[in-house]
Amino acid sequence: MSDTARPSVLFVCVHNAGRSQMAAAILTHLAGDRVQVRSAGSAPADTVNPAVVDAMAEVGIDIAAEVPKVLTVEAVQASDAVITMGCGDTCPVFPGKRYLDWQLPDPAGQGVEAVRPIRDEIEKRICGLVDEITPVS
């Protein structure tokens, strides 16, 4: 399958250190190569939140090597769907793109106990998204 045939999703939050990293990893885990996945932040942190790394490891997804990335116009333009998670007006909007805004608590500064329910809610939303955007094979 060519890249043009695969739907592409960009997850955006402010620091690209928590919610968007979890969402990208879960979508990649569930959809594999059926979806092109990106994540970015409007003001990226230096590292991914350690509690987020730990919470993802609990469900068998290793994001320890991930690094926060800066949101670029090119990333938005290259994506079919842009899912924002609390970045407000800092996310560029382009006509013809599908935008979803997922209101989720920010895991910044939280322990793994607080991150788990955020992770689980993201996974629930991702499952619905996978069913919606991936062709049945």
Side-chain angles (χ1 to χ4, degrees), residues 7-26:
S8 59
V9 178
L10 170 64
F11 294 100
V12 182
C13 65
V14 176
H15 300 299
N16 190 221
R19 295 166 289 189
S20 57
Q21 289 282 354
M22 286 191 285
I26 292 168

Side-chain angles (χ1 to χ4, degrees), residues 104-119:
L104 297 161
D106 188 348
Q110 305 288 323
V112 72
E113 300 78 22
V115 173
R116 286 185 192 116
I118 301 168
R119 174 200 65 206

Side-chain angles (χ1 to χ4, degrees), residues 50-114:
V52 167
V53 173
D54 292 346
M56 294 301 289
E58 290 177 352
V59 294
I61 301 174
D62 181 7
I63 64 168
E66 293 297 325
V67 293
K69 294 165 280 306
V70 69
L71 177 63
T72 64
V73 169
E74 294 77 21
V76 175
Q77 290 174 324
S79 301
D80 298 314
V82 178
I83 299 174
T84 57
M85 302 172 174
C87 69
D89 296 335
T90 61
C91 297
V93 175
F94 293 95
K97 300 292 176 194
R98 178 174 177 202
Y99 289 89
L100 297 171
D101 185 42
W102 290 356
Q103 296 294 322
L104 297 161
D106 188 348
Q110 305 288 323
V112 72
E113 300 78 22

Side-chain angles (χ1 to χ4, degrees), residues 28-42:
T28 299
H29 180 75
L30 294 175
D33 62 1
R34 294 179 297 158
V35 179
Q36 187 174 17
V37 182
R38 298 176 181 88
S39 72
S42 52

